[in-house]
Amino acid sequence: MAMEVGTLSEVHQNSKRLLMRVRGELERLEQLEFSSPGGIDSPELSFSIKKDISQIRSLCFEMDRLWRSIASKTERDLWKRKVEQIAEEADSSKDSLDKHFLRNQKRMTEAKERAELLERANRDSAHVMRIFDDDSRAMQSARNSSLMLEDAYSTGVAILSKYAEQRDRLKRAQRKALDILNTVGLSNSVLKLVERRHRVDKWIAYTGMIVTVIIVYLFWKWVH
């Protein structure tokens, strides 16, 4: 019986040493986790803790088998309580490790979501920049078209001014010619011929001005 109790005591001591090591490893794991905003994980340390907890549970199973073979009820109850305490602490350590795994998983998920959000934001930013570039090119094209239209308008105005100036000079020349013809006493038929030519020249000038206005208008419609 003493041999059994001694064996049980040795198993109990081994389980307590493992529990102390697990507590220390959990503290180190939590220090690593909360040492930086993003948290630091140590898979090796987590695996070591998980392995020690599994070993403690195996020792509890062994102790449970040993204390049941003790003859004294008082000793059996005492060892039963001791084994239950070891098992409870092992379960508590397992819960702490599971919570660490959950927190680490949550951090990884949040980091992945942030990365995806940043990637989407970069894509959206690039899309906005493309839209801005397209708008800028469209605005530049509109400005160029406006300048071309202004140039065309100025050219048309200049042409019409030239036509008007030429028409005035032609009228003055015709008046002088008529005066000269009247002075030398030309016939009425010649005078009528000159007047008809004057009307033809006038219509040519008007037609040129109308054609110029139509060209400017068509050019403006084509630009827009």
Side-chain angles (χ1 to χ4, degrees):
M1 184 65 61
M3 184 63 182
E4 290 181 355
V5 174
T7 303
L8 182 56
S9 297
E10 291 175 358
V11 176
H12 182 260
Q13 289 298 322
N14 289 336
S15 63
K16 289 187 66 174
R17 282 194 296 269
L18 284 174
L19 272 177
M20 291 181 63
R21 187 164 72 182
V22 167
R23 293 192 195 104
E25 289 172 338
L26 284 172
E27 289 179 0
R28 287 173 52 199
L29 194 63
E30 290 180 356
Q31 289 174 358
L32 289 173
E33 180 182 357
F34 298 108
S35 61
S36 63
I40 300 176
D41 187 32
S42 176
E44 297 82 2
L45 185 57
S46 299
F47 178 77
S48 177
I49 295 172
K50 187 176 182 180
K51 181 179 178 182
D52 287 341
I53 292 174
S54 296
Q55 189 173 354
I56 292 171
R57 285 180 167 177
S58 297
L59 292 176
C60 287
F61 179 79
E62 181 66 18
M63 286 188 293
D64 187 70
R65 184 184 65 82
L66 290 173
W67 71 256
R68 293 178 185 278
S69 62
I70 298 176
S72 173
K73 183 179 182 305
T74 303
E75 290 185 11
R76 284 201 311 271
D77 293 341
L78 177 62
W79 279 108
K80 178 183 177 183
R81 183 55 188 161
K82 287 183 178 181
V83 173
E84 288 176 347
Q85 289 177 347
I86 297 294
E88 289 172 358
E89 292 191 38
D91 291 340
S92 177
S93 299
K94 178 64 167 55
D95 291 340
S96 298
L97 184 62
D98 290 342
K99 290 177 181 178
H100 166 76
F101 285 144
L102 290 175
R103 290 194 299 269
N104 187 57
Q105 183 64 36
K106 182 180 179 181
R107 284 195 300 270
M108 292 176 62
T109 301
E110 291 175 348
K112 181 180 179 181
E113 291 175 351
R114 286 195 298 269
E116 292 175 351
L117 181 62
L118 181 61
E119 183 179 357
R120 287 197 298 270
N122 290 334
R123 288 199 301 268
D124 293 343
S125 177
H127 179 64
V128 170
M129 289 303 298
R130 285 196 297 272
I131 294 175
F132 178 77
D133 291 340
D134 292 341
D135 290 344
S136 298
R137 286 193 292 270
M139 292 177 64
Q140 184 63 40
S141 177
R143 284 195 292 269
N144 294 336
S145 299
S146 178
L147 292 175
M148 292 174 65
L149 183 60
E150 290 177 2
D151 292 340
Y153 177 76
S154 299
T155 301
V157 171
I159 292 173
L160 292 177
S161 298
K162 288 293 183 180
Y163 275 127
E165 183 180 348
Q166 291 176 2
R167 184 191 61 184
D168 292 339
R169 285 201 299 267
L170 182 60
K171 283 182 177 181
R172 289 195 296 269
Q174 289 174 345
R175 281 196 296 270
K176 289 181 180 180
L178 289 174
D179 291 340
I180 293 173
L181 291 174
N182 288 327
T183 301
V184 298
L186 292 176
S187 64
N188 290 333
S189 60
V190 175
L191 293 176
K192 290 179 180 179
L193 179 62
V194 172
E195 290 178 355
R196 188 163 55 252
R197 178 61 183 271
H198 170 69
R199 285 195 298 272
V200 170
D201 291 339
K202 181 171 65 175
W203 281 111
I204 291 174
Y206 287 155
T207 302
M209 288 186 288
I210 293 172
V211 170
T212 301
V213 171
I214 293 174
I215 291 173
V216 171
Y217 174 76
L218 293 176
F219 179 77
W220 181 82
K221 291 290 289 184
W222 175 77
V223 169
H224 287 76

